[in-house]
Amino acid sequence: MKKIILALSILLSGTAFAQSENETKTLIGSGGLESWGFAVGTGLQAAQVYGENTFFSQFKAGVVLNEAWTFGALAGFSLNEIRPTTLNLANEELDFHMYGAFVEYRIKPNSLLHIAFPLNLGVFETDIDDFDYAENANDWDDYNAEDYQFFVEPGVNLELNLHKYVRLYTGVSYRIQTGSIYSRGVTPAAENQLLWNIGMKVGIFNFQ
């Protein structure tokens, strides 16, 4: 009888161990969420757009999970209007806006230097307006033409843990405009852009 009980105990223990080994590991649940936090960031992007040097601001805010994953929202706009000679715009200029969401994954985020892989997606807005030497702000929403494109922007950054609450980064990304959502007037054909990125994040990255 004792041998039977011993054999059943070994069998049940082996089954429980196998179930534990085969259990799906998840970010949330099963002890997967070890820490959380939040962060806000600001950055500068530079690219060639229709052959002209263009600079973009970028603002992000998101929730940080296990210091490795960040999920949040983003917005930005061009810091300079451009007048590409290749587009024959006469007395018109282009400016741009973007808004959407992002997800980012970091490898070994506790290391002084580490790699991050951001993925941005959302809407990229191109506006055509009359060229205004006086920078008259009263007609900011009176565009001659506008186009809204859905975009996907994968990238890779090198991050530096400057302080417990501050991270600096630099890297590259590639903005792919996949299709028009809405268009009014005559706008130039959408083009993809290679961007150089630099910026800073501030937040509490690891509430326990």
Side-chain angles (χ1 to χ4, degrees):
M1 186 67 179
K2 290 181 178 179
K3 291 183 179 180
I4 295 175
I5 293 175
L6 179 61
L8 288 173
S9 299
I10 293 173
L11 179 61
L12 291 173
S13 298
T15 303
F17 178 76
Q19 288 177 342
S20 177
E21 285 293 305
N22 294 327
E23 183 179 358
T24 301
K25 301 298 187 295
T26 60
L27 179 65
I28 300 176
S30 304
L33 184 59
E34 298 176 357
S35 68
W36 65 277
F38 65 90
V40 295
T42 181
L44 176 70
Q45 297 183 298
Q48 286 273 315
V49 181
Y50 301 114
E52 301 291 330
N53 292 325
T54 309
F55 300 93
F56 299 90
S57 65
Q58 189 174 78
F59 305 95
K60 289 183 173 181
V63 176
V64 183
L65 304 179
N66 290 346
E67 292 193 69
W69 291 94
T70 304
F71 301 87
L74 66 87
F77 55 88
S78 56
L79 298 174
N80 60 309
E81 292 82 11
I82 61 172
R83 302 178 67 200
T85 56
T86 56
L87 297 182
N88 298 318
L89 293 178
N91 265 346
E92 295 176 314
E93 60 187 5
L94 298 178
D95 64 83
F96 311 93
H97 299 80
M98 70 199 81
Y99 24 84
F102 75 96
V103 58
E104 182 174 273
Y105 179 70
R106 286 174 291 280
I107 299 176
K108 296 183 178 179
N110 292 320
S111 300
L112 178 64
L113 288 171
H114 53 272
I115 301 296
F117 297 94
L119 175 65
N120 305 329
L121 64 161
V123 176
F124 187 79
E125 175 186 348
T126 300
D127 299 317
I128 299 180
D129 198 5
D130 292 328
F131 180 66
D132 184 3
Y133 289 97
E135 294 296 333
N136 185 359
N138 293 329
D139 64 349
W140 67 271
D141 60 347
D142 186 21
Y143 299 123
N144 298 340
E146 53 191 344
D147 182 50
Y148 297 79
Q149 294 271 337
F150 181 76
F151 78 90
V152 178
E153 185 183 329
V156 58
N157 291 330
L158 178 66
E159 283 195 354
L160 168 68
N161 290 339
L162 181 67
H163 183 271
K164 182 179 180 181
Y165 304 117
V166 181
R167 291 174 176 169
L168 305 179
Y169 68 87
T170 185
V172 294
S173 59
Y174 192 71
R175 183 182 295 139
I176 305 167
Q177 300 190 53
T178 62
S180 179
I181 301 171
Y182 168 79
S183 186
R184 180 182 65 84
V186 179
T187 57
E191 66 173 21
N192 302 331
Q193 298 139 11
L194 177 67
L195 301 111
W196 173 70
N197 305 296
I198 187 170
M200 177 178 66
K201 305 173 186 177
V202 178
I204 300 177
F205 300 97
N206 60 345
F207 279 125
Q208 298 296 328

